[in-house]
Amino acid sequence: MPEWIPVAAAADCPPGTSIERVAAGRMAAIANVDGSLHAIDGLCPHQGGPLGTGALCGTTLTCPWHGWQFDVTTGRHRVSATVRQAVHEVRRRDGVIEVRLHDPEPPAGPDS
Ligand code: FES
């Protein structure tokens, strides 16, 4: 079972925002949707954009580079059913956000 990894202070990710953090060498995009935390792989499968620094609207996180959009609750691309980010467990513990990584290998992206 993967370890829980502390990545940020809870105050760093208030409701309606997302942040980018590195956990065990992997980028994670952490989003706070109305007080509920979600974490997906932070490396955009399009061209490697930093998803965690994108804009969060509801459960939709938009990559800041070219606008690909992902549902942070499922990791699924909003348009393409074949594109999906790994979803990680995330929790708050004693004022700290911790993630537990799943899918040791990032999912394959599209050819484009
Ligand atoms: S790198 Fe994310 S949309 Fe292009």
Side-chain angles (χ1 to χ4, degrees), residues 40-58:
I40 62 175
D41 222 56
L43 199 63
C44 181
H46 180 218
Q47 291 183 353
L51 285 179
T53 67
L56 180 69
C57 183

Side-chain angles (χ1 to χ4, degrees), residues 5 7 14 20-21 41 48 61 73 80 84 97 102:
I5 302 168
V7 292
E20 175 184 74
R21 290 294 187 270
D41 222 56
L61 184 58
T73 66
S80 174
R84 181 181 174 275
I97 296 173
H102 289 272

Side-chain angles (χ1 to χ4, degrees), residues 1 15 22 26 31 40 45 60 96:
M1 180 66 78
V22 176
R26 291 178 64 184
I40 62 175
T60 299
V96 174

Side-chain angles (χ1 to χ4, degrees), residues 6-22 28-32 37 52-54 56 91-92 94-98:
V7 292
D12 292 345
C13 190
T17 68
S18 63
I19 56 174
E20 175 184 74
R21 290 294 187 270
V22 176
I30 300 161
N32 185 331
L37 294 174
T53 67
L56 180 69
R91 69 182 182 187
R92 277 185 210 85
D94 298 328
V96 174
I97 296 173
E98 298 178 332

Side-chain angles (χ1 to χ4, degrees), residues 64-84:
W65 283 8
H66 312 101
W68 281 27
Q69 295 185 314
F70 296 86
D71 186 321
V72 296
T73 66
T74 63
R76 293 190 184 283
H77 189 274
R78 283 292 189 192
V79 176
S80 174
T82 61
V83 179
R84 181 181 174 275

